[in-house]
Amino acid sequence: MNKIITFTVNGKKRELNVDVRSSLLDVLREIVGMTGAKEGCGVGECGACSVLVDDLLVDSCIYMAVWADGKSIRTVEGECRDGKLSSVQKSYVEKGAVQCGFCTPGFVMASTAFKERFKDKTFTRDDIRREHAGNICRCTGYESIIEAVEQSMEED
Ligand code: FES
Ligand code: FES
């Protein structure tokens, strides 16, 4: 069974006819053409598929596309504006927090959510670790990712 849903992806309105069984990840990748979010585990364990729905971090592989009806979706592609990386993206590059890059779109969205949530608040490294606990990286190591988050918190 299909359903027409409407949402915005990175600020652009989309009206789509989707299979009600489709995950948001599949719709983003296969219909919308946003392939930044990746499918790692497909069961909500690795965070490679992380996107923001109404500014909340979700695992899009286990978030039904129909649940996104009327909502605002942000993916890693939308964080780069007018060719300029976001402070989070820039910090990941500068701190060497990327190797193969498979997990990076999900981490960047988790860090973006962290930055927006902890803006103007005090936080610790444990807060960073906890708020990224749903994201797994198999190759970089987490220290450089934590450093990237810390650097991004000092920038606009
Ligand atoms: S692919 Fe969604 S959590 Fe792993
Ligand atoms: S950079 Fe390779 S899995 Fe994280």
Side-chain angles (χ1 to χ4, degrees):
M1 188 172 87
N2 278 33
K3 185 174 183 231
I4 307 277
I5 61 170
T6 306
F7 53 43
T8 64
V9 183
N10 301 326
K12 189 171 171 194
K13 192 169 177 182
R14 306 294 301 246
E15 184 177 275
L16 303 171
N17 185 356
V18 302
D19 187 319
V20 295
R21 298 165 299 179
S22 296
S23 68
L24 178 59
L25 177 64
D26 284 346
V27 167
L28 287 173
R29 289 181 59 85
E30 293 167 17
I31 302 179
V32 179
M34 294 284 175
T35 56
K38 301 288 185 282
E39 178 157 8
C41 64
V43 292
E45 297 288 343
C46 74
C49 62
S50 300
V51 300
L52 302 187
V53 177
D54 284 350
D55 297 327
L56 292 175
L57 191 68
V58 306
D59 290 328
S60 63
C61 69
I62 54 169
Y63 190 99
M64 305 307 288
V66 291
W67 297 345
D69 192 17
K71 294 189 162 61
S72 167
I73 318 299
R74 290 165 60 191
T75 72
V76 71
E77 289 94 337
E79 296 306 299
C80 180
R81 297 193 182 96
D82 300 325
K84 190 168 175 263
L85 296 178
S86 71
S87 59
V88 170
Q89 292 169 320
K90 186 166 146 291
S91 297
Y92 268 68
V93 173
E94 290 176 357
K95 289 293 180 181
V98 179
Q99 283 193 39
C100 78
F102 192 82
C103 71
T104 308
F107 262 101
V108 164
M109 298 317 289
S111 301
T112 300
F114 180 87
K115 179 168 171 133
E116 293 174 0
R117 184 163 166 217
F118 282 83
K119 186 172 179 273
D120 303 326
K121 293 189 184 139
T122 55
F123 63 89
T124 66
R125 286 195 145 208
D126 281 345
D127 291 322
I128 298 175
R129 287 192 192 95
R130 187 188 63 247
E131 298 296 316
H132 292 74
N135 293 76
I136 294 171
C137 176
R138 288 178 177 272
C139 50
T140 297
Y142 297 99
E143 190 62 24
S144 54
I145 291 173
I146 291 170
E147 287 175 7
V149 176
E150 287 176 327
Q151 178 174 301
S152 77
M153 296 301 281
E154 294 164 9
E155 300 179 7
D156 288 336

